[in-house]
Amino acid sequence: MKLPAIKGFDEEAFNKYLKNTGWLMFGKGLSLIVSLLIARYLGPILFGDLNFGLSLVAILAAVGALGLDTFIIREIIQEPNHRDEILGTSLWLRIATNAILIPVAIGIYLISHNLSPNPGEPLTLLVGLLAFASFFKSFNVIDAYFQSQVQSKYVVQVQNISLIVISLIKVAIITLKLPLIYIVFAYVLEGLILAVGLIIVYQKRGLNIFDWHFNKQRAKSLLIKSSPLILSAVMVSIYMKIDVVMLKSVGSKAVGIYSSAQNLSEAWYFIPVAIVTSVFPALLHARKTDLERYQKRLGNLYDLLVYISLPVALFISFFGSAIIQFIYQGKYEGAGPMLSIHIWSGIFVFLGSASSQYLVAEGFTKISFYRTAAGAIINVLLNIWLIPLYGGLGASIATLIACFISTFYLLLIPKTRHQGIMMLKSLFLVTAFQKIFKR
């Protein structure tokens, strides 16, 4: 695979990364297909209920992770002899937190339900079960261990087996025309299979989860180190999921219609992550050896991501309604205009993924947090204003504006302004035209 737009990157490393992410792309594709089948089966109201529950739980799950993954990896690498203590302490911290978050999720839902002008059918059981499904993510500490050993392939194998099994179960539920609650139970089963699978893989590697133990001092140390990342993760979750939660005030049908467009719009967000992750080592190397080449590679990366996302945004803008009609067979009337607006957020998500790596390389972690927080706050404020006026269309506009502000927040900071200008040039194809006219 040739990438002329990012000349200078290690093509062999990039091709290797593409091969390693083949299963990831398969998983994303299968998940999207099953999600579309579920949406067509449930219809706007029930699909809206499901997505509301998933979004509410996803925001709280950011707290349940405790921002520990990075520190688990680092601590195990630095203190391999204390592996069982690090993993045991991390697991029990997450189990305790996620157990508490189950009644918290139900409580938040009940409060919002009682205050809502359009509450709809009670979803207490649905929210509780989805929160319980999220509880099993506590065992992702095993994933962090395998990452520390550069052995993530074992985790990917477990994830793929779980994905295929659950996808078949969900298709069977649709075929048998079973109620929504069965699909919710499928999410619980998915969490359980993943947790059990991770434990089995860990045990098969000659290790023993029963050797893990909790250490109070280690717990304090991990929480102190990870506390800034908890807030950051919550901001990211609010930034990505709050629109669905807030739209519930209009009704489940509005949530369902908006979610049908949002799921299509965001289906390919893993692509910039794959590209940016693959070229990040080359960026770091250039920063150490040649700053001019480092800046050039960043510019080329911004150009590449715009070249990928801009044509898709233009195409979807013109044919969004036809695509919605074809995929959902007329069940989600009104989702087309939402998709045509929401798809433009992808350009800023792509650029934001690339510039995030720049912030990491430069050590500007606070700036990274501030811009995510700015996007989350703007999204909430715009949703408060626009959702009562325009429903899902307002939520799409709010998301687009929030993504733009978050990405180009770098223009407001003197030491990152140059990167913001580089992204603007890529966005408006300035560098592309410069290359054309130079010829």
Side-chain angles (χ1 to χ4, degrees):
M1 180 177 179
K2 301 293 183 183
L3 290 174
I6 50 172
K7 184 179 179 182
F9 286 114
D10 186 343
E11 185 179 334
E12 182 181 349
F14 187 77
N15 287 333
K16 182 179 179 181
Y17 186 83
L18 281 180
K19 185 178 180 180
N20 292 338
T21 55
W23 278 108
L24 171 64
M25 298 178 72
F26 165 77
K28 293 292 183 181
L30 182 58
S31 296
L32 175 62
I33 291 171
V34 174
S35 176
L36 296 179
L37 291 174
I38 289 174
R40 283 170 55 171
Y41 170 65
L42 292 178
I45 295 176
L46 293 179
F47 189 60
D49 289 340
L50 177 62
N51 276 275
F52 166 76
L54 289 171
S55 297
L56 175 60
V57 169
I59 294 173
L60 293 175
V63 179
L66 295 174
L68 286 176
D69 286 348
T70 301
F71 294 100
I72 293 171
I73 295 169
R74 192 179 72 179
E75 298 275 308
I76 290 175
I77 292 173
Q78 292 178 348
E79 303 178 62
N81 293 332
H82 291 85
R83 177 194 63 214
D84 293 336
E85 177 185 292
I86 295 166
L87 292 173
T89 302
S90 301
L91 176 63
W92 282 110
L93 284 173
R94 282 188 171 177
I95 285 177
T97 305
N98 283 313
I100 293 171
L101 288 176
I102 295 174
V104 169
I106 295 172
I108 291 174
Y109 163 70
L110 289 174
I111 292 171
S112 65
H113 179 75
N114 292 331
L115 295 177
S116 175
N118 189 14
E121 292 295 320
L123 303 176
T124 311
L125 179 59
L126 180 147
V127 172
L129 286 172
L130 291 175
F132 183 56
S134 184
F135 169 83
F136 292 111
K137 292 181 180 179
S138 303
F139 290 89
N140 283 357
V141 295
I142 299 176
D143 182 6
Y145 165 74
F146 282 117
Q147 288 185 51
S148 73
Q149 306 301 301
V150 197
Q151 296 177 341
S152 294
K153 63 180 181 180
Y154 300 112
V155 176
V156 173
Q157 290 169 1
V158 172
Q159 291 172 339
N160 287 329
I161 292 171
S162 172
L163 175 64
I164 293 171
V165 170
I166 294 301
S167 295
L168 291 173
I169 290 174
K170 288 178 179 177
V171 170
I173 291 170
I174 294 170
T175 303
L176 295 172
K177 297 182 178 181
L178 298 176
L180 169 62
I181 197 66
Y182 284 85
I183 295 176
V184 176
F185 276 116
Y187 280 98
V188 177
L189 182 59
E190 182 177 15
L192 176 61
I193 291 174
L194 276 172
V196 173
L198 288 172
I199 294 171
I200 291 173
V201 169
Y202 185 81
Q203 298 289 117
K204 282 191 172 182
R205 298 300 297 166
L207 305 168
N208 190 354
I209 193 173
F210 295 104
D211 290 335
W212 293 4
H213 55 274
F214 181 85
N215 182 281
K216 188 176 180 180
Q217 289 303 120
R218 177 75 66 178
K220 288 182 179 178
S221 173
L222 285 171
L223 288 176
I224 290 171
K225 291 174 183 176
S226 67
S227 54
L229 294 183
I230 299 174
L231 184 58
S232 180
V234 171
M235 285 297 176
V236 170
S237 295
I238 291 174
Y239 182 32
M240 299 300 295
K241 300 294 183 181
I242 196 63
D243 45 1
V244 173
V245 175
M246 296 181 71
L247 194 57
K248 184 66 168 65
S249 62
V250 180
S252 294
K253 185 175 181 179
V255 176
I257 293 172
Y258 175 75
S259 296
S260 69
Q262 182 192 47
N263 288 353
L264 285 176
S265 179
E266 297 179 353
W268 64 322
Y269 281 7
F270 71 94
I271 292 177
V273 175
I275 294 174
V276 169
T277 304
S278 69
V279 302
F280 187 53
L283 282 174
L284 291 178
H285 178 71
R287 185 180 181 277
K288 292 179 181 178
T289 58
D290 188 338
L291 288 178
E292 184 178 347
R293 184 173 58 169
Y294 168 60
Q295 292 296 331
K296 185 178 180 180
R297 287 184 173 183
L298 278 168
N300 288 335
L301 179 58
Y302 297 146
D303 286 344
L304 173 65
L305 294 175
V306 170
Y307 296 159
I308 294 172
S309 57
L310 184 58
V312 174
L314 287 169
F315 178 81
I316 297 296
S317 292
F318 286 106
F319 299 103
S321 295
I323 291 170
I324 290 290
Q325 177 70 22
F326 174 75
I327 291 177
Y328 296 115
Q329 299 180 333
K331 292 184 177 180
Y332 289 83
E333 200 69 39
M338 298 177 198
L339 176 60
S340 296
I341 294 171
H342 199 289
I343 193 66
W344 286 92
S345 304
I347 298 176
F348 307 117
V349 171
F350 276 44
L351 289 172
S353 297
S355 55
S356 291
Q357 297 302 317
Y358 158 76
L359 295 175
V360 171
E362 298 295 329
F364 296 152
T365 52
K366 286 186 178 180
I367 295 176
S368 181
F369 168 73
Y370 291 148
R371 80 169 185 168
T372 303
I377 293 169
I378 292 296
N379 204 6
V380 170
L381 293 176
L382 287 174
N383 277 321
I384 291 173
W385 174 37
L386 294 173
I387 284 177
L389 296 175
Y390 307 110
L393 203 61
S396 300
I397 295 169
T399 296
L400 176 58
I401 295 173
C403 286
F404 173 83
I405 291 174
S406 177
T407 298
F408 288 100
Y409 178 85
L410 301 187
L411 289 169
L412 303 177
I413 312 297
K415 57 187 176 183
T416 61
R417 188 166 295 148
H418 178 63
Q419 291 299 310
I421 293 172
M422 286 174 62
M423 287 191 291
L424 277 176
K425 287 182 177 180
S426 296
L427 178 62
F428 291 102
L429 305 177
V430 173
T431 51
F433 286 121
Q434 286 175 341
K435 290 175 183 177
I436 291 171
F437 289 118
K438 277 182 181 180
R439 295 174 184 174

